[in-house]
Amino acid sequence: MNAITKSPFAWLLKREYWEERRGFLRAQVIAAGVIIVLSILGVIVAEVARSRWSGSIQIGASGSLTDALQNALNHNVDGLVRALDATMAMFGMLAAVVLFFVVFFYLLGALYDDRRDRSILFWKSLPVSDTATVLSKAVSAVIVAPLIAVVVVLAAYLAQQIVMSIWFAAHGLNPFLLLWAHASPFSTWLHMLAMIPVNAVWALPTVGWLLLWSAVARSKPFLWAVAVPIIAGVLNFWIQLLGMPHVDLRFMWGDLVGRSLLSILPGSWMAVYADAPDINRLMNMDDANQHIGTYGMMYHTFLTPQMWIGAIVGIALIAAAIWFRRWRDET
Amino acid sequence: MNVAAEAIAEQPAHPAGSETVVQAHGLTKRYKNAVALDGTDFRIGQGRIVGLIGPNGAGKTTALKAILGLTDFEGELAVLGMDPRRQRPQLMREVCFIADVATLPRWIRVQEAIDFVAGVHPRFDRAKCERFLARTKLRANQKVREMSKGMIVQLHLAIVMAIDARLLVLDEPTLGLDILYRKQFYQSLLEDYFDENKTILITTHQVEEVEHILTDLLFIRDGKIALSATMDEMGARFAEVLVGAGQVAAARALNPIDERAAVFGKSIFLYDSADPEQLAQLGEVKRPSVSDLFVAIMKGTYA
């Protein structure tokens, strides 16, 4: 471990984290924090409403909440577990959306910002190859940032549970029995962790596309990266309207435009299963197991051509970004 | 190119120095609509402080970029025996450069910059860097964006001087700095960094500022080396004479490479390889300044 954390590549990853902690960490903490604050506000509203109805503030007395939860515990444990899973999944989905925007703009700036402010000349004065530099940015986007997001999701879930525990305890309910005795939310969390490699390989075409424009554009990499595929898609649609030979619309929008811009959205590989006839078997859904796709489905993605063709294209685009990083001559 | 400069360019390019640090032969770089380096030959020896001096657009920056492996080129170029195009990461272990004052990333903190360089650079001496920084007012958690230009250059210099490199390239290193920091910059380099195993290559517009520390001169013009000489050779070859009004005709007869007016109706003549005894009869002889020599040789460049 020591040898790994002391390798130059680990320092490149640290460097990316230092520069981007605002997006990688702080944005996730703020998003999760907003949800937790909202749930605290919700608890306060519930308490105030309850005290109005009963005419006096009676924290700890048995009210409708206690009855409802006691009832749930006795008769419908599944429903409670599902609510806990949903809490974890909600934090996960929120983190995924934040991650998409953070990583999208991170990749667009990764090889552009230091060219614009000329600090590229400082980075290039160090004995680090351009290949290592570009790869450190790709790895930060698909491994480091998602790992941080998943850790924040767990922390947010735990914080949320602590808030609820205090509330439950104030009503004389045992939070350990109700909130902490169920392993299911944690297996949902492990599921998110296990999804990172699948997301990472699936994301490669977008990673490569954005890094390439980041390395090439003289200005406005966002405009180039977004306008080129969208204009191509619109032109193709227009040609189709004229009845001339065109690229299949679904292939154009889904496999070209979509994959070049949206593949970094965690879980977007599920598009592969959009019209699979055996989707239910693959998902293996049952009531207690509401994961966003099972492990079997997740890793089955590695057997699909969409995954591998996308990965090859993505790697080629990253290689092109490395070439431009090495030879772009403008300063 | 004027006649004087052509004559000077014909001299062989061989500044002194035991081991060769940079050797260029037929170095050529063409941009779409301009030739930046036109078959340039030069050699830089170890333990020298070389001033690469030329007007804007003469190819200075392109030459530095070629040496640092930042641009592709035609011809031969060996830096410490390596090809900067193919061996850049290895080369950068032994070569440092400061491009100008504003190239440190604005988001980085002093501590992070030191940690990072220590992590990726095998020849970086952290303790040394911290000793240099202790002399400044920089704080460990200070960000570059919170620093003045002078402080940024102090940080950059502390990092670079703590790297045991064999070649240090400085491209306009003091541009935009106030005079106190400029003096301090070169003072530190001479006192705490330079030794016979190191080589420093400097480009600057402020020739007067580096004149006293240079050991070698490389004048570049239109992508070609117009003059390559050690300061000693320069002193032996070129002479400046302050000539009274009565002797101007005699002075012109000795083929000066430059003539300019001085106070009290006198004129200053600059000679290349003239007979010292003849010059002494004309007036007071002294060694020309690098900037006067530069102006004389580059004359006509902007015409």
Side-chain angles (χ1 to χ4, degrees), chain A residues 21 118-119 124 326 329, chain B residues 65 69 71 88 100 112:
Chain A
R21 63 189 132 204
R118 296 177 27 89
S119 60
K124 286 215 174 196
R326 175 70 185 88
D329 180 5
Chain B
K65 273 161 53 174
T71 189
R88 223 186 83 78
D100 66 33
E112 291 169 344

Side-chain angles (χ1 to χ4, degrees), chain B residues 42-61:
Chain B
F42 60 91
R43 172 184 177 271
I44 295 170
Q46 182 171 302
R48 316 297 298 179
I49 301 180
V50 182
L52 180 63
I53 298 162
N56 290 330
K60 288 187 307 258
T61 305

Side-chain angles (χ1 to χ4, degrees), chain A residues 260-280:
Chain A
S260 63
L261 295 177
L262 303 176
S263 298
I264 49 172
L265 182 65
S268 57
W269 43 266
M270 273 184 277
V272 165
Y273 303 107
D275 43 20
D278 53 352
I279 177 116
N280 287 326

Side-chain angles (χ1 to χ4, degrees), chain A:
Chain A
M1 191 65 200
N2 220 11
I4 295 169
T5 53
K6 281 185 176 164
S7 79
F9 195 76
W11 283 103
L12 292 179
L13 294 182
K14 269 184 220 174
R15 194 214 83 96
E16 295 305 311
Y17 172 72
W18 290 335
E19 186 177 2
E20 297 297 327
R21 63 189 132 204
R22 195 185 279 264
F24 287 1
L25 179 63
R26 208 180 301 169
Q28 296 289 2
V29 170
I30 290 171
V34 165
I35 299 288
I36 292 166
V37 167
L38 285 177
S39 74
I40 293 172
L41 294 178
V43 166
I44 293 170
V45 166
E47 286 299 317
V48 170
R50 202 172 59 85
S51 69
R52 286 223 178 108
W53 280 358
S54 57
S56 64
I57 297 172
Q58 305 173 292
I59 290 178
S62 73
S64 58
L65 171 80
T66 319
D67 293 342
L69 281 167
Q70 203 64 54
N71 191 42
L73 191 62
N74 292 338
H75 303 291
N76 190 7
V77 180
D78 276 0
L80 183 65
V81 170
R82 223 177 299 172
L84 294 176
D85 274 348
T87 305
M88 180 67 92
M90 175 193 65
F91 280 120
M93 280 186 245
L94 180 70
V97 172
V98 171
L99 190 63
F100 171 79
F101 286 104
V102 164
V103 167
F104 192 93
F105 289 102
Y106 164 67
L107 288 168
L108 277 177
L111 303 173
Y112 173 73
D113 292 346
D114 60 4
R115 289 191 293 129
R116 195 184 45 183
D117 71 9
R118 296 177 27 89
S119 60
I120 185 174
L121 291 171
F122 173 68
W123 303 118
K124 286 215 174 196
S125 75
L126 296 167
V128 176
S129 71
D130 296 286
T131 306
T133 300
V134 175
L135 289 183
S136 76
K137 288 164 196 280
V139 169
S140 295
V142 298
I143 305 289
V144 177
L147 274 177
I148 292 170
V150 164
V151 169
V152 170
V153 165
L154 183 62
Y157 179 79
L158 295 178
Q160 169 86 359
Q161 291 292 84
I162 288 167
V163 169
M164 298 315 269
S165 296
I166 293 168
W167 190 38
F168 280 26
H171 287 278
L173 292 163
N174 182 349
F176 295 98
L177 208 58
L178 284 167
L179 298 174
W180 298 95
H182 309 287
S184 182
F186 296 100
S187 90
T188 302
W189 182 77
L190 282 178
H191 199 269
M192 289 177 199
L193 199 61
M195 212 191 281
I196 290 176
V198 187
N199 289 338
V201 177
W202 182 258
L204 286 174
T206 301
V207 171
W209 179 253
L210 297 179
L211 280 178
L212 179 60
W213 283 109
S214 188
V216 169
R218 281 192 196 280
S219 65
K220 301 185 179 64
F222 175 82
L223 209 60
W224 286 104
V226 174
V228 168
I230 290 190
I231 289 173
V234 170
L235 272 180
N236 184 60
F237 178 67
W238 180 71
I239 290 168
Q240 182 253 351
L241 287 182
L242 295 179
M244 293 198 287
H246 61 277
V247 182
D248 174 62
L249 288 192
R250 202 173 145 171
F251 178 78
M252 186 72 202
W253 288 114
D255 294 289
L256 293 179
V257 181
R259 283 304 295 283
S260 63
L261 295 177
L262 303 176
S263 298
I264 49 172
L265 182 65
S268 57
W269 43 266
M270 273 184 277
V272 165
Y273 303 107
D275 43 20
D278 53 352
I279 177 116
N280 287 326
R281 186 183 62 76
L282 280 168
M283 302 237 345
N284 188 23
M285 294 273 261
D286 61 59
D287 284 350
N289 198 2
Q290 257 195 344
H291 299 151
I292 312 157
T294 63
Y295 290 96
M297 175 185 173
M298 215 153 70
Y299 283 89
H300 178 78
T301 313
F302 280 114
L303 302 177
T304 63
Q306 289 101 313
M307 185 74 145
W308 287 111
I309 294 168
I312 290 163
V313 170
I315 289 165
L317 291 168
I318 291 171
I322 293 170
W323 189 89
F324 278 104
R325 178 72 175 185
R326 175 70 185 88
W327 295 112
R328 196 96 169 87
D329 180 5
E330 59 193 341
T331 41

Side-chain angles (χ1 to χ4, degrees), chain B residues 33-76:
Chain B
N33 38 22
V35 179
L37 291 172
D38 189 8
T40 312
D41 298 335
F42 60 91
R43 172 184 177 271
I44 295 170
Q46 182 171 302
R48 316 297 298 179
I49 301 180
V50 182
L52 180 63
I53 298 162
N56 290 330
K60 288 187 307 258
T61 305
T62 308
L64 293 191
K65 273 161 53 174
I67 290 170
L68 296 166
L70 295 174
T71 189
D72 206 355
F73 54 81
E74 294 157 53
E76 289 163 37

